[in-house]
Amino acid sequence: MTEYPKEIKFKYSWRKYQQRVLDDLQEHLTNGHLHVIAPPGSGKTVLGLEVAIRLNKPTLILAPTIAIRNQWIQRFCELFLQTHLTPDWISRDIRNPKFMTVVTYQGLHAACNNLRIEEDDTDTEEETEENGSGRSTNPNLDNIISGLKSQNIKTIVVDEAHHLKNEWWQTLTKVKDKLEPIIVGLTATPPYDVTATEWQRYIDLNGPVDTEISVPELVIEGDLCPHQDYVYVTLPTEKEKQSIVDFRQNIEKLFHEIKSDETIIEAIEKHPIWQNPMEQLDWIYNNLSYYSACLIFLNANEKEIPEIHREVIGDIKFKIPRLDYEWMETLLDFYIYKDKVHFKAFEEHQKSLEHRLRRYGAIERRQINFSHNQRVTGFLTSSISKLNGIQEIVDFEYKKLGKNLRLVILSDFIRKEFFINSAENKLELNKIGIIPIFEKLRRENKENKKIAVLTGSMIIIPVSAYAAFEAKAAKYGITQINSNPVPFDNSYVLINQNERLKHEIVHIVTQIFQRGEIEILIGTKSLLGEGWDAPAINALILASFVGSFVLSNQMRGRAIRTQNGNGDKTGNIWHLVCIDPTSPKGGDDFELLKRRFRSFVGVSFKEEPGIENGIGRLNLPENIHHKEEAEKKNIEMFTRAGDRESLKQRWKEALATGVNLVEEIKIPFPEEREYKTVKSMYFNKTIRNLLATLGSGLLAFGLESLQGLSRAARNIKTAQDLYLFLAIIGTTGMLIFGRLTFKTLRLYFKYRDISKDIQQIGDALLNALIKAGVIRTDNSKLKVETSVDNWGAIYCHLEGGTTFDKSTFINALQEIIAPIGNPRYVIIRKNKFMLFIKQKDYHAVPEILGRNKLLAEYFQNQWVRLVGACDLIFTRTIGGRKLLLKSRVKSLTTQFDDKVEHVNKWR
């Protein structure tokens, strides 16, 4: 077989954006790549299949999980071949390829390395870079390539190719290089949150982004329904809270013990960086954080810091920061792990200290951490309080929608130990997972809600749905179904899987759920989280701990698709968060939730509805510590979630405020108080003080001076005495009020509209990126846009250009305004305030420009022309290192790092 059968045809009509991609297909493919970004529910799978058919060459499709691999085949058979049977020219085995071969990335990697491992159905994205840092030898690569070449594979479709394990990337790249195919890259969430190197790797595989479709566009086109995220807040149980408090108290005690540890003090005082810093400059400049931690630690122990160290820093007046948990972690990392040579005499002490840290839970995988601990995180993410939250949400949604409810609950673990073979199940539900959630809902199911469980190894359905299940299975040619009543509740049936049923089970259960034979479906995120499709879902509870940028967006995508014949559909997505009452920022579970929300775009709760990403749009307070606060927030969430009509209206109003989704950088106002208040306060004070200054100048000739004159008349003998008296009054007034004027004027300028500076820096950066050839879009179509909101936050983005252009610009701008890391070039910006005060700001030259001296110099020229006077310093010399150290030391106290963020706004 050398081409697709002629009669293959997609059975539905194409959506507008799909048709647009297909119309421009030849143009997109000129570089041998088609790269499409579109949210879950936008029909990427059928688009990918149609492109493969139009290319009409043998095809390899790579998917992230087994469930998605199977879905590609199901979609192809149902929507293109219009059959339930898989033809023999489609293969699921990379070792035995056919005309169309559909496999997982893990399957490809395993085959190329002779690994006979069972492909598990978990998402690949959670595997971290560290796990896959070793280079793969791919001993069986040639055999796999030879098999693919024998089929003449010339099209490779990569589905959700992003945060794959490092060695999987290497295998994938080698396969691409050997086959020289056309690559069709499809993703819902591009990995914008990765390093420049990882982004480049992603682009090298997929090619530059050809087209990006946003969530608001799809809501406008009617492909996604109006939807909203809601957060249900819980607090740990008393037992969980006590465990967290105990941990915190123990850590604080340990911190104070180590803080005054004489052995560590002695070890540092004997180290060359303390004794002879001038001879260790190169090491110090490359290991600033360790050097700083040593100074901070000794300073905390009231050791005199010799002036020579301040000279090394380059700032005699430098105020040494306070020793806190983070600096202690850095110090101990240095002492225990990083310097084996100079601390050799202290080996016994190091071992016993490491043992102590481990016992207290302050070390995990050689990572020292005083604030975050996996056990504490575990208490929060899997808090039993969330079971009550799930129960409340289910009851609330059922009360609102009744028999029309189609709710899915996604969790991480099955927890089969809670499914027992006895007439009663009264086990204490002390863990979160699929079966505990099922048990919680089953035990308190007063309204006879139809609840089911769907995982890779366990399927439970209501007895009332069994006939429909049998009928659907028969359509797939499955007549032998082995099932048993659930031992402790004969209202439910446990379906036992066989080999035939294994491939079709998700499909069958999904169809009876769509029909309403099941109203609440509890499943694993790995089986239903990515690629699964059930348009009837109108409520979703994410009882999962996944906080990753990509997978959480995939899971959420299950509930936001439109449903044929149900034009009124809206989707409620519920997130559970357990607040840590001992943490000022709400704790690890809240941090995880915030991270998730960076990749969710939706309507804000603000007075004037807008569309943006980030948790800020839900008006959640930074810290919720009390039960009353949590309950108040939950009541507000339920009130909003119950008004689905209002949700539709808010989407309508918000969509009218813009035309496209813009990726921006956001620099928040650096004050607790509101921006306009601060600015107007300083400005009003300035005006008042200026008037007072003027008044004090006139005072010498006014009423006050005359009264003073009459009192002092007896001491004034000559005209000269009179002038002197008047001069003293005037000068005193000028000094008193003039100093205030100067001070407040300086503060006013500090909080002036910084967007003008960002605008100019952005323009200089854009010119340099164009010069570097990184941004290739015609200059006339590009424009840097900046704005300031009512809270003083500055937004900046690139108007025009491709997705890649915009992302490159934003990432480079973030490098310039974030605290300095270890760049090759630094720009020192010189400001003069009213000719009196010199101010120096340090900015990194972005890595993309700093690689090349000529480009760095060009960026400097643009800076001088558009922003103002500056020096360009090469940091790879001793002088440059010293200056880099000084600039980084300054940023130690600013902690601006976390505050600069990427946001998406509908404009």
Side-chain angles (χ1 to χ4, degrees):
M1 185 168 167
T2 57
E3 57 180 37
Y4 285 94
K6 293 273 190 290
E7 65 277 9
I8 289 184
K9 189 177 186 302
F10 181 53
K11 68 189 277 191
Y12 298 113
S13 54
W14 295 108
R15 297 170 184 173
K16 278 185 208 165
Y17 89 87
Q18 291 170 325
Q19 190 63 57
R20 194 166 73 232
V21 174
L22 295 171
D23 289 345
D24 298 338
L25 188 58
Q26 288 316 309
E27 190 185 323
H28 293 321
L29 290 171
T30 47
N31 61 1
H33 299 81
L34 171 68
H35 187 179
V36 178
I37 297 171
S42 52
K44 288 187 302 296
T45 306
V46 291
L47 182 64
L49 288 166
E50 178 66 18
V51 170
I53 292 164
R54 292 191 182 197
L55 291 170
N56 209 12
K57 293 277 190 287
T59 305
L60 171 64
I61 297 172
L62 294 164
T65 65
I66 292 172
I68 299 178
R69 176 198 72 184
N70 294 343
Q71 183 196 280
W72 274 87
I73 296 169
Q74 283 162 352
R75 292 278 173 84
F76 184 64
C77 293
E78 282 178 27
L79 302 177
F80 290 86
L81 302 177
Q82 297 178 40
T83 173
H84 287 299
L85 303 170
T86 306
D88 59 6
W89 46 271
I90 295 180
S91 166
R92 285 183 171 93
D93 182 3
I94 191 72
R95 294 177 176 88
N96 180 26
K98 301 278 182 70
F99 180 82
M100 179 189 272
T101 307
V102 191
V103 296
T104 63
Y105 294 105
Q106 186 180 2
L108 172 67
H109 177 70
C112 290
N113 287 281
N114 281 327
L115 302 172
R116 284 281 170 188
I117 54 173
E118 188 64 37
E119 292 175 89
D120 60 8
D121 205 5
T122 56
D123 61 285
T124 54
E125 201 258 338
E126 282 185 282
E127 302 288 356
T128 58
E129 283 294 316
E130 295 83 68
N131 293 346
S133 53
R135 292 197 70 82
S136 306
T137 52
N138 299 126
N140 197 38
L141 178 73
D142 289 342
N143 290 336
I144 297 298
I145 293 295
S146 161
L148 295 171
K149 279 186 172 174
S150 71
Q151 287 293 337
N152 195 30
I153 298 286
K154 280 294 170 194
T155 301
I156 298 183
V157 180
V158 289
D159 186 11
E160 299 296 349
H162 25 62
H163 305 233
L164 303 180
K165 284 165 71 176
N166 210 17
E167 69 239 41
W168 298 8
W169 271 108
Q170 292 163 17
T171 303
L172 194 50
T173 306
K174 286 175 190 171
V175 170
K176 179 187 174 185
D177 291 345
K178 301 261 186 191
L179 294 178
E180 297 180 353
I182 282 177
I183 297 280
V184 179
L186 307 166
T187 186
T189 317
Y192 289 133
D193 58 340
V194 296
T195 62
T197 313
E198 288 174 276
W199 175 261
Q200 197 51 52
R201 182 177 70 176
Y202 172 76
I203 292 298
D204 287 344
L205 176 73
N206 292 279
V209 179
D210 289 297
T211 185
E212 180 167 9
I213 313 300
S214 68
V215 165
E217 285 175 81
L218 289 167
V219 174
I220 288 171
E221 289 198 16
D223 295 326
L224 296 182
C225 69
H227 54 275
Q228 184 57 283
D229 297 279
Y230 300 100
V231 174
Y232 186 95
V233 183
T234 70
L235 289 162
T237 62
E238 278 307 313
K239 189 179 170 189
E240 290 163 348
K241 183 183 173 184
Q242 195 52 53
S243 302
I244 295 169
V245 168
D246 290 347
F247 169 77
R248 297 268 184 243
Q249 286 173 346
N250 287 336
I251 284 289
E252 184 66 12
K253 179 169 165 264
L254 180 66
F255 173 78
H256 284 290
E257 286 169 7
I258 298 172
K259 186 177 177 179
S260 52
D261 189 311
E262 292 294 336
T263 311
I264 302 177
I265 295 170
E266 182 194 346
I268 294 168
E269 287 186 325
K270 284 183 174 175
H271 199 285
I273 61 168
W274 175 255
Q275 295 192 337
N276 302 303
M278 286 303 179
E279 290 172 22
Q280 303 294 324
L281 287 181
D282 209 39
W283 186 92
I284 288 171
Y285 295 152
N286 282 307
N287 298 276
L288 169 65
S289 57
Y290 293 141
Y291 175 65
S292 305
C294 291
L295 298 188
I296 291 164
F297 179 76
L298 292 175
N299 184 62
N301 281 286
E302 297 178 357
K303 298 286 179 183
E304 181 63 35
I305 306 296
E307 205 163 289
I308 191 165
H309 289 286
R310 295 180 189 271
E311 281 175 32
V312 168
I313 290 169
D315 187 350
I316 301 295
K317 295 176 184 170
F318 177 63
K319 187 172 181 290
I320 292 170
R322 187 177 61 85
L323 179 67
D324 59 14
Y325 282 179
E326 284 183 38
W327 284 117
M328 181 65 90
E329 288 157 12
T330 306
L331 178 89
L332 294 177
D333 184 42
F334 176 48
Y335 176 65
I336 297 173
Y337 296 124
K338 289 298 186 288
D339 193 335
K340 296 293 182 192
V341 179
H342 297 106
F343 293 133
K344 195 160 180 56
F346 303 93
E347 267 181 31
E348 284 307 309
H349 181 260
Q350 285 172 325
K351 279 178 189 165
S352 87
L353 181 57
E354 185 179 13
H355 183 67
R356 255 168 85 207
L357 288 163
R358 212 174 284 287
R359 205 170 62 242
Y360 278 88
I363 291 186
E364 284 156 7
R365 298 198 195 102
R366 290 170 68 92
Q367 284 285 107
I368 299 166
N369 207 319
F370 281 68
S371 306
H372 303 285
N373 169 270
Q374 272 189 329
R375 282 191 66 228
V376 170
T377 306
F379 287 133
L380 297 167
T381 54
S382 52
S383 171
I384 298 313
S385 63
K386 290 184 177 181
L387 273 178
N388 294 327
I390 292 167
Q391 172 75 48
E392 274 212 49
I393 295 164
V394 168
D395 287 347
F396 166 81
E397 291 289 4
Y398 191 78
K399 189 177 169 188
K400 289 287 175 186
L401 296 178
K403 298 292 178 191
N404 292 321
L405 178 65
R406 298 290 179 276
L407 183 140
V408 170
I409 305 170
L410 293 178
S411 193
D412 300 277
F413 307 108
I414 298 170
R415 309 273 191 219
K416 284 183 185 173
E417 66 269 27
F418 290 90
F419 188 91
I420 55 173
N421 194 13
S422 66
E424 266 194 307
N425 187 349
K426 290 191 174 174
L427 286 181
E428 183 196 350
L429 303 176
N430 56 8
K431 282 185 180 169
I432 254 210
I434 304 298
I435 300 301
I437 293 169
F438 171 71
E439 272 303 284
K440 176 77 176 169
L441 299 181
R442 181 191 70 82
R443 292 176 192 182
E444 300 180 28
N445 188 7
K446 298 184 187 75
E447 299 96 340
N448 292 318
K449 299 185 274 282
K450 299 173 188 172
I451 307 165
V453 166
L454 176 57
T455 75
S457 58
M458 273 194 103
I459 294 99
I460 301 169
I461 62 171
V463 164
S464 59
Y466 189 68
F469 182 88
E470 277 187 312
K472 283 288 173 195
K475 282 195 173 180
Y476 291 93
I478 302 165
T479 50
Q480 294 296 312
I481 297 171
N482 182 1
S483 64
N484 309 94
V486 167
F488 44 85
D489 192 334
N490 57 15
S491 307
Y492 294 90
V493 178
L494 179 69
I495 309 283
N496 300 308
Q497 291 200 49
N498 57 34
E499 201 50 44
R500 278 299 313 277
L501 201 51
K502 191 178 175 183
H503 289 302
E504 308 298 349
I505 190 77
V506 174
H507 226 49
I508 296 165
V509 173
T510 302
Q511 287 182 56
I512 63 171
F513 169 71
Q514 292 266 106
R515 276 179 45 182
E517 303 290 345
I518 295 166
E519 292 157 351
I520 296 153
L521 184 60
I522 310 161
T524 49
K525 61 129 200 277
S526 53
L527 191 64
L528 306 181
E530 275 194 87
W532 178 62
D533 191 18
I537 301 172
N538 47 28
L540 174 72
I541 300 175
L542 295 176
S544 161
F545 320 144
V546 177
S548 66
F549 193 76
V550 176
L551 189 81
S552 47
N553 203 23
Q554 294 288 351
M555 293 195 298
R556 183 172 167 274
R558 304 308 108 224
I560 65 179
R561 300 175 183 215
T562 46
Q563 182 186 13
N564 284 339
N566 181 9
D568 280 341
K569 182 190 163 181
T570 54
N572 284 355
I573 303 125
W574 288 94
H575 306 261
L576 300 159
V577 65
C578 185
I579 298 293
D580 180 353
T582 67
S583 164
K585 289 186 175 177
D588 290 355
D589 202 28
F590 194 43
E591 286 300 314
L592 201 65
L593 188 73
K594 284 188 203 168
R595 197 161 78 234
R596 265 187 186 175
F597 267 77
R598 282 184 213 156
S599 60
F600 301 159
V601 174
V603 177
S604 69
F605 282 178
K606 291 167 188 167
E607 244 177 87
E608 293 171 11
I611 297 170
E612 58 190 86
N613 69 336
I615 203 156
R617 66 184 171 86
L618 299 189
N619 291 348
L620 271 181
E622 270 297 304
N623 42 15
I624 299 173
H625 288 118
H626 300 294
K627 192 179 176 187
E628 296 74 28
E629 292 169 331
E631 284 173 355
K632 187 180 167 191
K633 207 69 214 170
N634 292 338
I635 289 166
E636 185 196 324
M637 291 288 170
F638 279 135
T639 306
R640 288 181 179 276
D643 192 352
R644 290 185 180 233
E645 276 306 311
S646 168
L647 175 62
K648 284 191 270 190
Q649 187 57 32
R650 287 184 74 78
W651 265 98
K652 193 176 173 184
E653 287 172 28
L655 287 169
T657 64
V659 287
N660 63 344
L661 198 64
V662 173
E663 187 193 2
E664 304 185 295
I665 204 160
K666 177 185 176 184
I667 308 157
F669 180 62
E671 281 267 336
E672 292 299 314
R673 288 164 294 179
E674 194 182 304
Y675 163 70
K676 285 193 169 173
T677 314
V678 173
K679 193 167 171 179
S680 80
M681 180 182 76
Y682 287 133
F683 186 66
N684 291 338
K685 274 189 180 177
T686 305
I687 298 297
R688 271 208 310 276
N689 289 327
L690 279 169
L691 290 172
T693 307
L694 184 62
S696 68
L698 294 169
L699 190 67
F701 304 97
L703 184 65
E704 292 290 326
S705 53
L706 288 172
Q707 287 174 348
L709 188 60
S710 66
R711 285 196 302 271
R714 61 179 175 271
N715 297 319
I716 295 171
K717 310 291 184 200
T718 65
Q720 202 172 353
D721 288 347
L722 177 63
Y723 293 142
L724 182 65
F725 175 77
L726 294 175
I728 287 168
I729 292 175
T731 306
T732 305
M734 292 289 277
L735 284 172
I736 291 167
F737 294 106
R739 188 174 60 81
L740 286 170
T741 304
F742 177 75
K743 191 178 172 188
T744 52
L745 197 58
R746 185 175 63 177
L747 286 166
Y748 176 69
F749 275 100
K750 179 182 173 186
Y751 294 117
R752 73 195 188 285
D753 193 348
I754 327 171
S755 66
K756 292 188 180 69
D757 294 346
I758 297 297
Q759 175 75 51
Q760 291 153 351
I761 292 168
D763 288 337
L765 172 64
L766 177 59
N767 294 344
L769 292 173
I770 291 168
K771 175 77 172 174
V774 181
I775 290 180
R776 295 198 176 98
T777 306
D778 183 357
N779 197 0
S780 64
K781 294 176 182 168
L782 300 170
K783 191 184 177 195
V784 176
E785 293 277 5
T786 53
S787 60
V788 183
D789 68 12
N790 290 340
W791 294 268
I794 299 159
Y795 295 87
C796 180
H797 69 272
L798 182 64
E799 192 68 47
T802 64
T803 306
F804 177 71
D805 293 341
K806 291 170 185 175
S807 247
T808 304
F809 174 81
I810 290 292
N811 289 334
L813 184 59
Q814 177 145 10
E815 284 183 70
I816 295 170
I817 56 184
I820 287 183
N822 190 19
R824 283 171 60 81
Y825 287 93
V826 168
I827 273 189
I828 305 179
R829 179 183 180 193
K830 299 169 179 175
N831 290 331
K832 279 192 179 178
F833 173 71
M834 292 177 65
L835 306 173
F836 298 114
I837 299 162
K838 285 182 182 172
Q839 186 185 342
K840 282 186 178 179
D841 291 322
Y842 301 86
H843 299 277
V845 172
E847 184 192 347
I848 210 159
L849 300 173
R851 295 176 196 152
N852 180 307
K853 184 184 178 185
L854 291 175
L855 287 176
E857 287 173 345
Y858 182 81
F859 180 51
Q860 180 201 12
N861 293 337
Q862 292 302 304
W863 189 290
V864 170
R865 188 171 71 83
L866 296 165
V867 188
C870 73
D871 290 333
L872 180 72
I873 305 294
F874 181 57
T875 63
R876 300 306 189 249
T877 62
I878 284 290
R881 283 278 179 203
K882 189 165 186 175
L883 197 130
L884 181 61
L885 176 60
K886 187 175 177 180
S887 61
R888 287 174 69 188
V889 160
K890 280 203 163 190
S891 76
L892 294 179
T893 47
T894 60
Q895 299 300 314
F896 199 43
D897 214 1
D898 309 333
K899 295 176 183 170
V900 177
E901 50 185 311
H902 285 215
V903 295
N904 293 76
K905 269 184 170 306
W906 182 250
R907 290 194 180 276

